[in-house]
mmCIF file of all heavy atoms in Angstrom:
data_model
loop_
_atom_site.group_PDB
_atom_site.id
_atom_site.type_symbol
_atom_site.label_atom_id
_atom_site.label_comp_id
_atom_site.label_asym_id
_atom_site.label_seq_id
_atom_site.Cartn_x
_atom_site.Cartn_y
_atom_site.Cartn_z
ATOM 1 N N ASP A 32 -1.609 36.245 -5.099
ATOM 2 C CA ASP A 32 -0.221 36.322 -5.537
ATOM 3 C C ASP A 32 0.598 35.142 -4.981
ATOM 4 O O ASP A 32 1.334 34.465 -5.701
ATOM 5 C CB ASP A 32 0.315 37.681 -5.034
ATOM 6 C CG ASP A 32 1.757 37.854 -5.409
ATOM 7 O OD1 ASP A 32 2.083 37.498 -6.544
ATOM 8 O OD2 ASP A 32 2.549 38.335 -4.548
ATOM 9 N N GLN A 52 -5.694 8.335 -17.567
ATOM 10 C CA GLN A 52 -6.028 7.294 -18.551
ATOM 11 C C GLN A 52 -4.766 6.798 -19.255
ATOM 12 O O GLN A 52 -4.596 5.605 -19.505
ATOM 13 C CB GLN A 52 -7.028 7.836 -19.584
ATOM 14 C CG GLN A 52 -8.448 7.826 -19.030
ATOM 15 C CD GLN A 52 -9.387 8.763 -19.770
ATOM 16 O OE1 GLN A 52 -8.948 9.692 -20.466
ATOM 17 N NE2 GLN A 52 -10.686 8.545 -19.604
ATOM 18 N N ASN A 104 5.373 -3.051 12.815
ATOM 19 C CA ASN A 104 4.756 -3.970 13.756
ATOM 20 C C ASN A 104 4.709 -5.363 13.175
ATOM 21 O O ASN A 104 4.615 -5.551 11.969
ATOM 22 C CB ASN A 104 3.329 -3.540 14.066
ATOM 23 C CG ASN A 104 3.306 -2.582 15.227
ATOM 24 O OD1 ASN A 104 4.331 -2.355 15.872
ATOM 25 N ND2 ASN A 104 2.150 -2.012 15.477
ATOM 26 N N GLN A 158 0.145 -28.010 20.827
ATOM 27 C CA GLN A 158 -0.719 -28.253 19.657
ATOM 28 C C GLN A 158 0.088 -27.933 18.400
ATOM 29 O O GLN A 158 0.985 -27.108 18.442
ATOM 30 C CB GLN A 158 -1.928 -27.333 19.700
ATOM 31 C CG GLN A 158 -2.847 -27.585 20.860
ATOM 32 C CD GLN A 158 -4.168 -26.845 20.670
ATOM 33 O OE1 GLN A 158 -4.723 -26.807 19.589
ATOM 34 N NE2 GLN A 158 -4.650 -26.252 21.740
ATOM 35 N N LEU A 180 12.122 -14.552 -1.453
ATOM 36 C CA LEU A 180 12.074 -13.081 -1.391
ATOM 37 C C LEU A 180 12.849 -12.490 -2.574
ATOM 38 O O LEU A 180 14.029 -12.796 -2.773
ATOM 39 C CB LEU A 180 12.683 -12.576 -0.073
ATOM 40 C CG LEU A 180 12.779 -11.045 0.034
ATOM 41 C CD1 LEU A 180 11.394 -10.394 0.076
ATOM 42 C CD2 LEU A 180 13.575 -10.619 1.265
ATOM 43 N N TRP A 183 13.715 -6.671 -0.512
ATOM 44 C CA TRP A 183 13.082 -5.982 0.606
ATOM 45 C C TRP A 183 12.527 -4.648 0.123
ATOM 46 O O TRP A 183 13.055 -4.070 -0.840
ATOM 47 C CB TRP A 183 14.099 -5.710 1.717
ATOM 48 C CG TRP A 183 14.532 -6.904 2.505
ATOM 49 C CD1 TRP A 183 15.766 -7.471 2.523
ATOM 50 C CD2 TRP A 183 13.734 -7.675 3.412
ATOM 51 N NE1 TRP A 183 15.802 -8.545 3.369
ATOM 52 C CE2 TRP A 183 14.559 -8.687 3.934
ATOM 53 C CE3 TRP A 183 12.405 -7.622 3.841
ATOM 54 C CZ2 TRP A 183 14.114 -9.626 4.858
ATOM 55 C CZ3 TRP A 183 11.947 -8.558 4.764
ATOM 56 C CH2 TRP A 183 12.795 -9.533 5.257
ATOM 57 N N VAL A 197 11.568 -17.912 2.353
ATOM 58 C CA VAL A 197 11.245 -17.303 3.649
ATOM 59 C C VAL A 197 10.582 -18.310 4.597
ATOM 60 O O VAL A 197 10.802 -18.281 5.805
ATOM 61 C CB VAL A 197 10.331 -16.076 3.400
ATOM 62 C CG1 VAL A 197 9.913 -15.438 4.689
ATOM 63 C CG2 VAL A 197 11.037 -15.069 2.500
ATOM 64 N N ALA A 204 14.227 -21.193 12.154
ATOM 65 C CA ALA A 204 14.305 -20.410 13.401
ATOM 66 C C ALA A 204 13.491 -21.095 14.496
ATOM 67 O O ALA A 204 13.905 -21.153 15.657
ATOM 68 C CB ALA A 204 13.815 -18.985 13.160
ATOM 69 N N ASN A 220 0.943 -12.846 0.527
ATOM 70 C CA ASN A 220 1.192 -11.410 0.562
ATOM 71 C C ASN A 220 0.012 -10.754 1.310
ATOM 72 O O ASN A 220 -1.086 -11.310 1.350
ATOM 73 C CB ASN A 220 1.261 -10.918 -0.894
ATOM 74 C CG ASN A 220 1.632 -9.465 -0.991
ATOM 75 O OD1 ASN A 220 0.780 -8.603 -1.160
ATOM 76 N ND2 ASN A 220 2.913 -9.171 -0.877
ATOM 77 N N ASP A 221 0.227 -9.552 1.885
ATOM 78 C CA ASP A 221 -0.874 -8.913 2.630
ATOM 79 C C ASP A 221 -2.085 -8.584 1.753
ATOM 80 O O ASP A 221 -3.222 -8.605 2.219
ATOM 81 C CB ASP A 221 -0.400 -7.653 3.388
ATOM 82 C CG ASP A 221 0.359 -6.664 2.528
ATOM 83 O OD1 ASP A 221 0.666 -6.977 1.366
ATOM 84 O OD2 ASP A 221 0.672 -5.562 3.028
ATOM 85 N N MET A 227 -8.647 -12.361 1.028
ATOM 86 C CA MET A 227 -9.188 -13.563 1.677
ATOM 87 C C MET A 227 -10.084 -13.214 2.856
ATOM 88 O O MET A 227 -11.133 -13.811 3.042
ATOM 89 C CB MET A 227 -8.037 -14.414 2.211
ATOM 90 C CG MET A 227 -7.294 -15.133 1.151
ATOM 91 S SD MET A 227 -8.304 -16.509 0.621
ATOM 92 C CE MET A 227 -7.384 -17.044 -0.767
ATOM 93 N N GLU A 263 -4.678 -24.756 -17.412
ATOM 94 C CA GLU A 263 -5.439 -23.742 -18.140
ATOM 95 C C GLU A 263 -6.744 -23.427 -17.442
ATOM 96 O O GLU A 263 -7.395 -22.435 -17.755
ATOM 97 C CB GLU A 263 -5.804 -24.299 -19.535
ATOM 98 C CG GLU A 263 -4.640 -24.542 -20.456
ATOM 99 C CD GLU A 263 -4.420 -23.363 -21.375
ATOM 100 O OE1 GLU A 263 -5.369 -23.008 -22.081
ATOM 101 O OE2 GLU A 263 -3.325 -22.772 -21.353
ATOM 102 N N ASP A 284 7.729 11.103 -16.925
ATOM 103 C CA ASP A 284 7.043 12.365 -17.234
ATOM 104 C C ASP A 284 6.167 12.887 -16.105
ATOM 105 O O ASP A 284 5.780 14.047 -16.124
ATOM 106 C CB ASP A 284 6.215 12.220 -18.524
ATOM 107 C CG ASP A 284 5.206 11.076 -18.421
ATOM 108 O OD1 ASP A 284 5.468 10.106 -17.688
ATOM 109 O OD2 ASP A 284 4.141 11.163 -19.066
ATOM 110 N N GLU A 288 10.351 16.944 -9.053
ATOM 111 C CA GLU A 288 11.711 17.015 -8.473
ATOM 112 C C GLU A 288 11.712 16.424 -7.054
ATOM 113 O O GLU A 288 12.716 15.879 -6.603
ATOM 114 C CB GLU A 288 12.196 18.478 -8.430
ATOM 115 C CG GLU A 288 11.267 19.387 -7.638
ATOM 116 C CD GLU A 288 11.766 20.833 -7.510
ATOM 117 O OE1 GLU A 288 12.647 21.102 -6.673
ATOM 118 O OE2 GLU A 288 11.234 21.683 -8.240
ATOM 119 N N ILE A 309 2.932 7.145 -3.656
ATOM 120 C CA ILE A 309 1.595 6.840 -3.132
ATOM 121 C C ILE A 309 1.540 6.544 -1.641
ATOM 122 O O ILE A 309 0.627 6.971 -0.939
ATOM 123 C CB ILE A 309 1.024 5.607 -3.898
ATOM 124 C CG1 ILE A 309 0.699 6.006 -5.339
ATOM 125 C CG2 ILE A 309 -0.197 5.024 -3.193
ATOM 126 C CD1 ILE A 309 0.256 4.862 -6.213
ATOM 127 N N GLU A 327 12.451 28.060 0.972
ATOM 128 C CA GLU A 327 13.613 28.635 0.273
ATOM 129 C C GLU A 327 13.187 29.777 -0.637
ATOM 130 O O GLU A 327 13.886 30.765 -0.809
ATOM 131 C CB GLU A 327 14.294 27.561 -0.598
ATOM 132 C CG GLU A 327 15.160 26.603 0.201
ATOM 133 C CD GLU A 327 15.561 25.370 -0.629
ATOM 134 O OE1 GLU A 327 15.185 25.261 -1.812
ATOM 135 O OE2 GLU A 327 16.236 24.510 -0.048
ATOM 136 N N LEU A 331 6.938 30.595 2.491
ATOM 137 C CA LEU A 331 6.478 30.062 3.783
ATOM 138 C C LEU A 331 7.413 30.535 4.893
ATOM 139 O O LEU A 331 8.619 30.730 4.658
ATOM 140 C CB LEU A 331 6.527 28.532 3.781
ATOM 141 C CG LEU A 331 5.337 27.749 3.217
ATOM 142 C CD1 LEU A 331 5.650 26.253 3.245
ATOM 143 C CD2 LEU A 331 4.056 28.034 3.981
ATOM 144 N N VAL A 378 -1.634 32.246 7.043
ATOM 145 C CA VAL A 378 -1.537 31.908 5.611
ATOM 146 C C VAL A 378 -0.623 30.678 5.450
ATOM 147 O O VAL A 378 -0.921 29.757 4.683
ATOM 148 C CB VAL A 378 -1.012 33.106 4.774
ATOM 149 C CG1 VAL A 378 -0.734 32.681 3.343
ATOM 150 C CG2 VAL A 378 -2.007 34.255 4.804
ATOM 151 N N VAL A 428 -3.244 4.629 5.193
ATOM 152 C CA VAL A 428 -3.526 5.812 4.381
ATOM 153 C C VAL A 428 -4.998 5.794 3.980
ATOM 154 O O VAL A 428 -5.725 6.781 4.128
ATOM 155 C CB VAL A 428 -2.607 5.872 3.133
ATOM 156 C CG1 VAL A 428 -3.012 7.004 2.201
ATOM 157 C CG2 VAL A 428 -1.146 6.030 3.551
#
Side-chain angles (χ1 to χ4, degrees):
D32 179 42
Q52 280 160 341
N104 271 353
Q158 295 192 42
L180 175 66
W183 287 113
V197 178
N220 185 261
D221 51 352
M227 286 285 171
E263 294 265 303
D284 57 331
E288 58 177 281
I309 290 175
E327 282 167 1
L331 275 177
V378 172
V428 173

